Amino acid sequence: MQKTSARLLALLSLLQTHRDRSGGDLADRLGITARTVRRDIDRLRELGYRITTVRGPAGGYRLEAGAQLPPLLFDDGQVIALAVALRTAAADTGLTSVAEDATRALATLRQVMPPRLRRRIDLLDITAVPPPAPRDTPPVDPQVLLELSRAVRAREELRFDYPPAPDAPRRVHPHHLVTRLHRWYLVAWDLDREDWRAFRVDRVRPRTPTGPRFTPRALPGGDVATFLTGRFRGNDGTTTDWPCQGEVVLRLPAADVAPHARDGVVEELGPDRCRLTLGSWSWPGLAATLGRFDTDIEVVGPPELTAAFAGLAARYARAGRTLSRTGEPSRDPA
């Protein structure tokens, strides 16, 4: 019986790959005869799994969705993967209700685990440390996420209010629902502005009913990750490059610079010198970022970065002269 149960588990695992499996392929993978495959298929059907027979030259089987949830069978690897995913989701979703449901699901899963698997999961003590969330991040209504996701899949025009914008509703073709740094965004083509936009989902108030179906447009950059990263970096979304990128030499060891270089490239030039290539949304912003390293800076290029350093130097000098030696504001800001 134990051998049969293990074989049924392996068979179900193969059928859950969401594609047709021929009887011969299943028999070869499990090391059994085609007759045994047919008997095991019948056993799974008795347990409530809807397995249809695929007609054709080779024949085969397909696992269909059922009206009721049948008993679930997972192999060891699937159980561990599911437990890790639930534990991570409980700590890093940005959705309070989903996090609570993930915690309860993990507790339920743990109760029905075999002791050997439960011990392994308990040893896998994971603490997910998400990036710091913005202080003003409001919760997102899961129901809104479901409504937006349905419109994305159905390719239906959306109308929604977007406070604090004016009363007129936004009309968009929704393309992607994205989560980034604790915030959810709807990437969509804005029909009135004739341009791509990334809307914060916590501000979206959907109106019903939805509009007509649409044909999806090609997203700038080719994929949603490139588009969204590019927009947050200040470009048109066709690339992930920063609009402003410069190169400098710092009089610091590369090992001291690398942990604070974000997505920059650090090249060692000696024990106390390194070259740093870094980007930013503006030239003054890049110069200010480089100034954080508190060391002598040699600008390699481009000229716009040199001009930005000169502009910041003059601005900081004026700011410094606004205070007198007594700490009071100077009457002569020049």
Side-chain angles (χ1 to χ4, degrees):
M1 178 63 69
Q2 182 178 3
K3 185 176 180 180
T4 301
S5 299
R7 193 175 64 242
L8 289 177
L9 174 62
L11 175 58
L12 182 60
S13 179
L14 290 173
L15 291 172
Q16 287 174 334
T17 55
H18 300 291
R19 67 184 182 89
D20 299 344
R21 290 281 191 178
S22 69
D25 177 50
L26 292 171
D28 292 341
R29 286 176 174 270
L30 297 173
I32 57 178
T33 65
R35 182 179 179 182
T36 303
V37 170
R38 291 193 293 271
R39 288 204 306 265
D40 288 348
I41 291 291
D42 289 338
R43 291 190 179 100
L44 289 176
R45 286 168 174 163
E46 291 173 359
L47 290 172
Y49 294 95
R50 294 183 56 184
I51 302 174
T52 59
T53 301
V54 179
R55 305 297 179 184
Y61 304 96
R62 178 188 305 143
L63 181 63
E64 305 285 357
Q68 295 180 342
L69 185 66
L72 297 178
L73 295 176
F74 298 102
D75 59 32
D76 290 5
Q78 289 173 323
V79 171
I80 293 174
L82 183 59
V84 171
L86 287 172
R87 188 165 292 175
T88 303
D92 191 22
T93 62
L95 293 173
T96 303
S97 60
V98 172
E100 293 174 352
D101 289 343
T103 300
R104 293 191 299 108
L106 180 57
T108 302
L109 178 65
R110 186 183 180 280
Q111 288 178 355
V112 298
M113 286 182 187
R116 58 185 176 79
L117 277 182
R118 189 183 303 122
R119 287 192 293 270
R120 293 180 64 184
I121 293 299
D122 290 342
L123 289 174
L124 191 62
D125 189 8
I126 298 175
T127 301
V129 181
R135 294 182 180 180
D136 61 341
T137 302
V140 173
D141 184 354
Q143 186 59 40
V144 173
L145 285 178
L146 291 176
E147 292 181 24
L148 298 183
S149 180
R150 190 203 63 78
V152 169
R153 289 186 62 87
R155 298 176 180 175
E156 293 178 349
E157 181 182 315
L158 266 178
R159 296 184 307 127
F160 56 84
D161 297 312
Y162 196 64
D167 295 336
R170 307 297 286 266
R171 299 185 311 117
V172 303
H173 287 169
H175 281 253
H176 295 275
L177 196 59
V178 186
T179 179
R180 180 182 186 273
L181 298 179
H182 292 281
R183 279 194 174 137
W184 289 82
Y185 297 92
L186 175 68
V187 176
W189 174 262
D190 192 310
L191 292 167
D192 296 320
R193 291 157 181 80
E194 297 187 344
D195 193 11
W196 290 96
R197 291 289 190 270
F199 299 95
R200 280 178 48 175
V201 174
D202 58 273
R203 296 178 181 173
V204 171
R205 304 291 182 267
R207 293 193 178 192
T208 56
T210 54
R213 293 173 61 88
F214 64 90
T215 301
R217 300 168 181 265
L219 193 66
D223 61 78
V224 67
T226 299
F227 169 78
L228 201 61
T229 300
R231 281 297 176 97
F232 275 103
R233 291 187 172 182
N235 62 47
D236 59 2
T238 59
T239 176
T240 58
D241 293 339
W242 290 99
C244 304
Q245 183 168 292
E247 184 177 339
V248 298
V249 173
L250 304 176
R251 294 189 179 275
L252 287 173
D256 293 346
V257 173
H260 310 287
R262 301 183 305 180
D263 56 351
V265 178
V266 182
E267 179 185 354
E268 184 177 358
L269 299 179
D272 297 313
R273 295 176 74 247
C274 67
R275 179 185 289 108
L276 172 61
T277 303
L278 193 64
S280 183
W281 59 276
S282 71
W283 294 112
L286 178 57
T289 299
L290 292 168
R292 295 185 300 112
F293 288 100
D294 193 22
T295 186
D296 290 341
I297 301 173
E298 175 187 340
V299 179
V300 178
E304 290 86 350
L305 180 57
T306 302
F309 273 116
L312 283 183
R315 188 179 305 165
Y316 290 161
R318 290 194 298 270
R321 286 197 296 268
T322 60
L323 294 179
S324 66
R325 293 181 180 179
T326 62
E328 295 295 331
S330 172
R331 295 183 179 180
D332 180 11

